[in-house]
Amino acid sequence: MPKMTPSEALVETFLAEGVTEVFGIVGSAYMDALDLFPAAGIRFISVAHEQAAAHAADGLARVTGRPQVCIAQNGPGAANFVSAVTAAYWAHSPVVAITPESGSLGMGQGGFQELDQMPWFQACTKYQVRVNRPERMAELARRCFYMAKAECGPTQLNIPRDYFYGDIECEIYPTAHVPKGPGPEGSLDAAARMLLEASFPVILAGGGVVLADAVEETRLLAEYLTAPVANSYLHNDSFPDGHELALGPIGYCGSKAAMKILARADVVLALGCRLGPFGTLPQYGMEYWPSRARIIQVDADHRQLGLSRRVDLAVAADAREFARSLLEKMRCLRGARKPEAGRLALVRDEKEQWRKELDLWSSSCSSPMHPRRFLKELVEAIPPGSIVTNDVGNTCSMCNSYFGSTGPRQYLAALSWGNCGIAYGLALGAKTGRPDKPVFALQGDGAWGISGLSEVMTAVREEIPVIAVVFDNNQWGAEKKNQIDYYDNRFVGTNLKNPDFARIARDMGAEGYRVEKPEDVRDVVEAALKAGKPVVIDAVLDGSAEVLAEPFRRDALRKPVRHLAKYRHLSAFQVDPS
């Protein structure tokens, strides 16, 4: 076996796994490995905050489908990864987080930047390991890449900082790809018969369809059954919205057409879908989940099957292989089938009714702009096939009604972790992986202050031409809506006073546009696309109570009870001095 240093073993493992970019902030703990990056052809993308590094690795992993790397200084740097790695966990994104730690001889002595880093990532990774000998660097790094692929999620490689040095002998080779397969033959038989006997089958296409590159197989399956297809919550790219059977996404601020059609189903094929509890909550006053329907759940992760709701048939399988094998089996059982004209007409009518309702909601000519009017103009201006990353918040949630896709890996959202500040980091990674596509990062003004604002410096320095759209309504809108509905308009911490974000962007070396009128949106987007550099579009929106969406967590809030009439300088707790 060849002789090398542990740093060389780590970098050679990166190369064997096809890693060409690493996101992070420079740190002394791993500088020996960092020094090798240029010679190895690895681009180190230096960010403003480590959270953005992990988000960028997540974004790059989502658009490429391959494991990607972020790295941080030990202690505080690694701690800043935690929230973003958790977001990758719920996105089933293969991020390999490299976390150097204190030197092996000083562990437990309370040294500089020392704390046990393994517990931080225990609940948000699929696999984690501490390098216990320098000789095992390549072996354990390789294991992290393998588990990230096999388990569809993030892993952690924790390395004592003195283990980058010395001479070792080790092998370097790429990890294997282990296909999941179509599932048991008996399950395929049962699923085929359930769907063929259904009077109104509906497909719920989840993130597993995207991860398995199964959109085409899902389309063929839907067409054979004339089964309407809804996207699961925030997986708007799991089925193309232009298809005649496409319904749009269910869940918060989603498509009424999708929810009304899903409510009719007698059999639901949840394909590549974990049936997350938040993504199936009532919306628009509708209890749309078909409680009497039989459910077929297909997921590559057997731990998700039947976890959040009872299912009639659970299949641990790759979504693509399952859909392909299921279609073959149904064709063998029934042969060719004609499209169900009545069902197609129903889907068409419900979609048209929803489009008219959405257009009515989006017709305001008010100044400042109604957020729905702005979103209507924005989605019409963005070129088809663009990648959109979406944050968390009131206007960002409204995006669920407007943004579809022409194919997979085009709509990247925060998903179940729901952390503010994710969109711009995802966009940095997505644009790095797909420089041929326009990439738009959608964020509210509160979330923009968390990460996007500072990471514009990263985009400028690294020449990553992301287009950011800031929904500027001077508030934390989702939480303000809660204070309106539940706390008698007592606003604590929800009002913001923003600067001109476009001007700040120009000061940073990016391009900046401020848009205040709906008729100017298309021109601004066209100018941003032609700029060839990072762009910030500061969209000035109406923040009044009338334009805010339904409360984000109606399921978790209730009217407050107050036993004390009022507080004044804590007088209720003062004791008479006498």
Side-chain angles (χ1 to χ4, degrees):
M1 290 188 292
K3 181 179 289 188
M4 61 186 72
T5 68
S7 289
E8 290 172 327
L10 179 63
V11 174
E12 288 289 335
T13 302
F14 289 171
L15 296 179
E17 294 298 323
V19 172
T20 54
E21 291 86 15
V22 174
F23 301 90
I25 294 179
V26 62
S28 60
Y30 65 93
M31 196 164 284
D32 192 67
L34 178 67
D35 182 59
L36 299 170
F37 284 11
I42 293 175
R43 179 186 179 189
F44 180 68
I45 299 179
S46 177
V47 297
H49 190 280
E50 289 89 355
Q51 180 172 314
H55 282 320
D58 180 4
L60 183 55
R62 293 199 211 183
V63 299
T64 62
R66 302 193 309 271
Q68 303 296 341
V69 176
C70 55
I71 192 167
Q73 174 71 359
N74 64 277
N80 287 340
F81 274 171
V82 175
S83 182
V85 170
T86 306
Y89 177 85
W90 287 111
H92 310 287
S93 190
V95 171
V96 179
I98 310 293
T99 57
E101 67 175 352
S102 301
S104 60
L105 292 176
M107 288 183 187
Q109 295 180 354
F112 183 62
Q113 296 183 323
E114 183 198 353
L115 195 65
D116 186 358
Q117 298 174 177
M118 300 295 280
W120 301 347
F121 298 92
Q122 184 175 358
C124 62
T125 54
K126 296 288 188 176
Y127 174 78
Q128 57 177 170
V129 66
R130 171 179 278 128
V131 176
N132 62 341
R133 292 284 299 175
E135 294 87 347
R136 301 188 68 188
M137 180 72 83
E139 171 207 344
L140 297 178
R142 188 164 53 242
R143 192 66 180 169
C144 282
F145 279 95
Y146 171 74
M147 294 297 287
K149 290 192 296 185
E151 295 284 330
C152 294
T155 59
Q156 178 199 10
L157 182 66
N158 202 65
I159 310 169
R161 58 184 296 159
D162 53 317
Y163 283 5
F164 287 93
Y165 303 92
D167 291 327
I168 60 173
E169 293 180 348
C170 62
E171 289 184 289
I172 304 294
Y173 55 88
T175 56
H177 172 69
V178 180
K180 297 290 194 303
E185 192 71 17
S187 296
L188 286 163
D189 284 333
R193 296 186 186 281
M194 285 172 66
L195 288 163
L196 289 171
E197 293 168 3
S199 60
F200 202 103
V202 174
I203 297 173
L204 182 60
V209 171
V210 175
L211 295 175
D213 292 320
V215 173
E216 178 63 12
E217 287 74 14
T218 305
R219 179 186 68 81
L220 293 171
L221 191 62
E223 289 173 353
Y224 182 79
L225 291 166
T226 318
V229 182
N231 309 90
S232 69
Y233 180 57
L234 293 181
H235 289 292
N236 298 29
D237 56 351
S238 61
F239 197 76
D241 65 335
H243 194 277
E244 62 180 348
L245 287 166
L247 299 170
I250 63 170
Y252 184 57
C253 288
S255 162
K256 280 190 180 181
M259 296 177 225
K260 288 167 73 174
I261 292 289
L262 180 61
R264 291 172 172 261
D266 63 334
V267 175
V268 176
L269 172 59
L271 185 60
C273 182
R274 67 184 184 89
L275 297 174
F278 185 75
T280 55
L281 287 175
Q283 181 65 194
Y284 304 121
M286 284 190 285
E287 291 273 0
Y288 60 87
W289 187 260
S291 58
R292 296 185 179 181
R294 292 188 294 172
I295 310 299
I296 304 167
Q297 185 185 11
V298 182
D299 200 282
D301 184 355
H302 67 92
R303 288 167 291 195
Q304 300 297 331
L305 298 173
L307 178 64
S308 58
R309 75 175 56 244
R310 181 178 177 178
V311 299
D312 297 272
L313 178 61
V315 188
D318 174 82
R320 183 180 184 182
E321 296 301 320
F322 176 87
R324 180 183 294 165
S325 298
L326 178 64
L327 182 57
E328 291 176 0
K329 191 166 288 292
M330 288 194 296
R331 282 175 172 161
C332 289
L333 290 171
R334 290 286 176 89
R337 302 183 82 194
K338 293 182 179 180
E340 295 277 353
R343 200 177 297 154
L344 286 171
L346 177 63
V347 170
R348 188 166 53 248
D349 291 346
E350 288 291 0
K351 287 165 65 174
E352 178 62 15
Q353 183 177 334
W354 169 235
R355 185 192 64 78
K356 289 180 179 178
E357 187 171 3
L358 201 56
D359 283 347
L360 182 63
W361 290 358
S362 311
S363 61
S364 170
C365 295
S366 65
S367 181
M369 289 182 289
H370 192 294
R372 287 191 176 275
R373 175 64 189 275
F374 173 70
L375 289 175
K376 181 178 185 296
E377 299 292 337
L378 181 66
V379 77
E380 291 176 358
I382 289 177
S386 297
I387 295 173
V388 171
T389 69
N390 193 21
D391 218 281
V392 177
N394 193 273
T395 307
C396 287
S397 295
M398 292 182 195
C399 291
N400 203 26
S401 305
Y402 293 86
F403 285 90
S405 70
T406 59
R409 305 186 187 279
Q410 293 178 6
Y411 189 81
L412 316 182
L415 304 176
S416 296
W417 185 234
N419 59 318
C420 286
I422 188 175
Y424 201 79
L426 288 178
L428 291 173
K431 186 64 177 177
T432 300
R434 293 303 307 268
D436 57 314
K437 284 182 172 287
V439 177
F440 290 80
L442 313 181
Q443 290 188 278
D445 44 7
W448 182 246
I450 290 176
S451 65
L453 182 61
S454 59
E455 295 301 337
V456 172
M457 295 187 295
T458 301
V460 171
R461 181 176 57 246
E462 299 291 340
E463 298 181 347
I464 305 174
V466 166
I467 300 171
V469 181
V470 184
F471 304 137
D472 188 355
N473 57 7
N474 288 283
Q475 63 190 4
W476 290 99
E479 304 307 335
K480 190 168 189 176
K481 179 62 172 172
N482 290 332
Q483 291 176 340
I484 291 169
D485 287 357
Y486 292 92
Y487 297 96
D488 289 335
N489 298 296
R490 296 190 296 273
F491 302 129
V492 182
T494 50
N495 289 324
L496 302 173
K497 187 175 182 179
N498 295 326
D500 185 331
F501 294 125
R503 185 178 63 199
I504 293 175
R506 292 192 292 270
D507 288 344
M508 289 180 168
E511 190 55 83
Y513 303 98
R514 190 172 174 89
V515 59
E516 302 181 22
K517 299 178 181 178
E519 57 266 28
D520 295 335
V521 173
R522 183 176 293 275
D523 290 342
V524 165
V525 170
E526 289 179 358
L529 290 165
K530 294 175 182 176
K533 61 192 296 189
V535 175
V536 175
I537 299 173
D538 187 0
V540 181
L541 303 182
D542 185 359
S544 61
E546 292 76 19
V547 307
L548 296 176
E550 285 296 299
F552 192 63
R553 292 304 309 273
R554 185 177 287 279
D555 62 307
L557 286 166
R558 62 185 67 181
K559 286 286 187 179
V561 174
R562 299 288 180 258
H563 294 290
L564 298 174
K566 61 182 178 179
Y567 293 91
R568 182 174 296 169
H569 307 300
L570 301 180
S571 60
F573 303 101
Q574 290 180 358
V575 178
D576 187 341
S578 62

